[in-house]
Amino acid sequence: MSASPGAPEFADSYLVEVLTEFGLALKYVRAEGNTLYYLADDGSEVGVFDAASGFGSLMFGHNNPELVEHAKWLLDQQTPVHAQFSGYSYAINLAAKLNEIIRRELKTEDKFYGLFGNSGAEAVEITIKHAELDRGMRIKELKEGIEANIEAARSAIAGGARVSEAAAGLADGTDFDRLVAEVRRRNAETEARPPLFLALEGGFHGKLVSSVQLTFNEEFRGPFKALAAQARFIPRDRPEMIGKVVEEERAALLDVVVQDGVVDLVERDFPVFAAFLVEPILGEAGIFPISRELARSLREACDTIGVPLVSDEIQSGMGRSGTFLAGTQIDLKPDYIILAKALGGGLAKLGVVLVNEHRYRKDFELMHTSTFGRDGFSSRLALKFLEMLEADGGKAYQLAAERGAKAVAMMEAIKADYPDVVKEVRGKGLMLGFELHDQGKSADPEIREAVEHEALAFVIGGHLLRKHRIRIFSTASNLETMRFEPSIFLSDEELAQVDAGFRDVCQILRDQDASKFA
Ligand code: PMP
């Protein structure tokens, strides 16, 4: 039986209860730029610097005036939001613009076909479905080849060929029809195996039924294991494990060959894996950019296994890293690219997966739809967002890199002053992580207890909110790492505010004195 919720709300009452404990439950009433406003008891607005930025959804800040203006204009224009099943839609224009940008960055002439959904996790689910359709078609082609070989062998038998001893052993005799029946029975068994996915340890790919199985965090994934296909997770510092895992999961279909008048059996590798999903910068794992070497190993491994390499740029993409795709900086060559979050300008919900033409299965277009998927409003707003990103020779990308470098310099200076408290500063552009050392051995029992209950990040977040008016969270699966993902309009004043807040937290942790937390 679950405990009755303490807060009176009709939604999120338990969440409100938990956040209230840390002073994090606030009702924001207005948002602009990097600032969220709540109302103080006297009714005045209090501004809070938002380092979470919609978990990386706000490249141009909250309610960017140009985007808001455009959104209003789209509605005033009576843009057809819903015109499902008419073939042509604004999503086609959006896919064309996305192709222009990603082909430039990937230095390829290949075409990428867009499939649209409503969120990041949904775009991952679309990816999973498309990859499974592709795997199914690869299996079908393999089986058709085997059936053709069976018929060729049947003709050879009629012409006097004989069944080999090894094959006869399998079928309990030399009867060709029995052999074929046994081959088909065994192949059907192999085929009934559910697909597997490959993903990186620590990776995050969403929380829907299938996508959560590719999300490493056991707390999110574990209870729902029985619902969907599973992933094998590879440590990002040990790409050599890919070969080992592939070998462990290896399966084969039996095929029939005729050589020198003898019918024999051979094994054909069965496509066990549907896709390999990676984030070029692992976000929820604690902001870990993957290396150029890993990017190369992943490409090689996927080519060897014959599976598509999927780059989940839902959080790292859209310019946050300093380039449109974070993968561009490590020469990652994916077959699929997934985008969402910031793509809708922080105002519209949409997700898209872009599939390389060499991997694309066009039948999917008639199989997968969603009422709001590729709607006119989100597509046109995303087009405007991309226009803004690309304006002035890519000034937005430049700003992300420049403001990010300034933030890194600020955080590195804190680390230099507090090496006993700050473990590492990581990331690219404005996708940064500020990692603290484990405080589990603090002299203050309150701090130790907070670590034990995985609550220290909330305690720190509550202090920064109350005392410094900074809204910041740890990443979902690495509670020691604070996620810093503000918009490109990050000002020097805001940086100074974060500098003061972070230094205050470092001093409290160094003093091992939780009583100083506000
Ligand atoms: N993939 C990655 C890399 C993400 O960071 C997230 C969200 N944190 C998702 C997928 C899921 O996106 P959404 O929350 O829009 O479903």
Side-chain angles (χ1 to χ4, degrees):
M1 216 175 75
S2 60
S4 65
E9 280 71 20
F10 291 99
D12 292 333
S13 22
Y14 181 52
L15 179 68
V16 169
E17 189 182 317
V18 171
L19 293 176
T20 301
E21 206 180 310
F22 302 99
L24 288 167
L26 276 182
K27 187 174 185 176
Y28 293 105
V29 293
R30 199 166 69 80
E32 182 189 18
N34 282 320
T35 309
L36 277 163
Y37 296 90
Y38 68 90
L39 295 182
D41 291 341
D42 64 2
S44 62
E45 277 189 347
V46 181
V48 167
F49 170 71
D50 185 17
S53 203
F55 298 126
S57 301
L58 298 167
M59 271 296 281
F60 295 107
H62 288 279
N63 291 315
N64 176 271
E66 208 176 330
L67 284 161
V68 168
E69 196 52 44
H70 194 73
K72 286 187 201 163
W73 180 81
L74 289 174
L75 296 176
D76 285 343
Q77 290 293 303
Q78 302 191 321
T79 289
V81 179
H82 293 287
Q84 295 93 338
F85 231 67
S86 48
Y88 289 101
S89 72
Y90 288 109
I92 295 177
N93 306 55
L94 175 56
K97 185 71 188 168
L98 284 167
N99 265 267
E100 184 190 312
I101 300 171
I102 64 174
R103 287 157 105 187
R104 179 186 75 217
E105 289 212 351
L106 296 174
K107 297 189 185 73
T108 177
E109 294 294 310
D110 287 358
K111 210 169 171 176
F112 285 79
Y113 289 100
L115 300 165
F116 292 83
N118 303 285
S119 69
E122 195 182 314
V124 174
E125 299 272 328
I126 293 171
T127 300
I128 290 170
K129 279 184 68 179
H130 185 276
E132 175 59 359
L133 181 70
D134 175 46
R135 191 186 75 103
M137 286 177 159
R138 283 186 276 138
I139 294 169
K140 186 165 167 272
E141 284 157 22
L142 195 58
K143 274 176 53 194
E144 280 167 3
I146 292 171
E147 285 303 319
N149 288 345
I150 287 172
E151 288 321 306
R154 192 185 303 283
S155 304
I157 291 278
R162 63 179 177 83
V163 170
S164 79
E165 266 178 43
L170 184 96
D172 217 11
T174 55
D175 181 65
F176 182 72
D177 286 331
R178 269 175 70 174
L179 176 68
V180 170
E182 185 58 15
V183 164
R184 287 187 180 139
R185 189 189 67 76
R186 288 186 182 223
N187 284 353
E189 245 176 47
T190 304
E191 245 188 275
R193 278 180 57 155
L196 280 171
F197 288 81
L198 287 157
L200 294 179
E201 280 187 7
F204 187 99
H205 300 288
K207 288 183 177 171
L208 290 183
V209 170
S210 294
S211 50
V212 79
Q213 292 309 317
L214 311 185
T215 290
F216 184 65
N217 191 320
E218 172 69 27
E219 203 184 315
F220 303 149
R221 173 171 50 94
F224 310 105
K225 259 186 189 155
L227 291 177
Q230 298 296 293
R232 292 291 311 264
F233 294 100
I234 307 293
R236 61 181 178 276
D237 56 349
R238 297 188 60 198
E240 72 280 4
M241 285 294 291
I242 303 170
K244 194 165 162 278
V245 165
V246 168
E247 195 46 45
E248 276 169 22
E249 300 291 352
R250 189 176 173 272
L253 291 183
L254 288 172
D255 196 358
V256 179
V257 290
V258 186
Q259 237 178 354
D260 304 328
V262 179
V263 173
D264 223 333
L265 296 177
V266 289
E267 288 190 341
R268 306 270 179 227
D269 270 344
F270 178 72
V272 173
F273 295 97
F276 199 149
L277 276 85
V278 300
E279 294 159 85
I281 303 175
L282 283 86
E284 305 305 334
I287 320 286
F288 285 98
I290 68 170
S291 67
R292 189 172 281 272
E293 295 71 47
L294 181 60
R296 189 173 351 103
S297 302
L298 290 169
R299 184 65 269 170
E300 281 168 14
C302 286
D303 288 343
T304 308
I305 321 163
V307 302
L309 177 58
V310 180
S311 185
D312 178 344
E313 293 253 15
I314 288 169
Q315 190 166 166
S316 58
M318 280 69 66
R320 180 158 288 284
S321 71
T323 41
F324 184 78
L325 300 173
T328 302
Q329 298 177 43
I330 48 167
D331 205 22
L332 185 69
K333 297 279 186 237
D335 300 298
Y336 297 29
I337 297 160
I338 317 177
L339 307 171
K341 287 200 194 246
L343 186 58
L347 296 173
K349 302 171 185 178
L350 85 157
V352 59
V353 50
L354 295 148
V355 185
N356 185 294
E357 58 185 316
H358 300 299
R359 283 282 180 181
Y360 188 60
R361 300 288 186 173
K362 64 178 192 298
D363 306 83
F364 194 82
E365 288 174 23
L366 303 182
M367 290 174 164
H368 186 93
T369 53
S370 168
T371 304
F372 270 89
R374 58 167 117 86
D375 71 280
F377 180 72
S378 71
S379 301
R380 292 192 78 182
L381 198 55
L383 266 165
K384 172 71 182 171
F385 167 75
L386 294 178
E387 219 175 78
M388 286 167 65
L389 266 186
E390 295 270 304
D392 300 331
K395 191 161 163 248
Y397 305 123
Q398 217 178 311
L399 265 176
E402 279 171 22
R403 299 315 294 167
K406 208 146 189 197
V408 166
M410 176 270 285
M411 291 183 204
E412 285 290 359
I414 302 176
K415 179 172 174 263
D417 292 343
Y418 293 92
D420 50 322
V421 180
V422 183
K423 188 173 170 189
E424 199 176 30
V425 178
R426 286 186 298 270
K428 285 185 181 160
L430 283 169
M431 186 166 174
L432 299 174
F434 184 73
E435 186 177 13
L436 303 176
H437 283 296
D438 178 15
Q439 301 296 317
K441 293 202 167 58
S442 173
D444 187 325
E446 216 178 300
I447 294 179
R448 284 204 308 277
E449 201 189 330
V451 173
E452 211 175 291
H453 291 99
E454 301 190 335
L456 186 61
F458 287 129
V459 173
I460 293 172
H463 175 78
L464 287 170
L465 187 61
R466 279 188 298 279
K467 181 143 182 233
H468 297 275
R469 309 229 186 285
I470 296 167
R471 178 179 136 91
I472 193 162
F473 299 99
S474 69
T475 55
S477 309
N478 181 331
L479 305 179
E480 275 92 39
T481 301
M482 292 294 181
R483 173 215 316 264
F484 189 77
E485 299 187 7
S487 83
I488 55 170
F489 300 125
L490 174 68
S491 70
D492 286 346
E493 293 71 34
E494 288 165 338
L495 267 179
Q497 188 182 348
V498 175
D499 188 22
F502 278 13
R503 281 176 183 275
D504 183 27
V505 167
C506 288
Q507 191 61 46
I508 294 173
L509 294 175
R510 174 179 281 175
D511 295 345
Q512 310 188 48
D513 185 1
S515 71
K516 290 180 182 158
F517 280 132

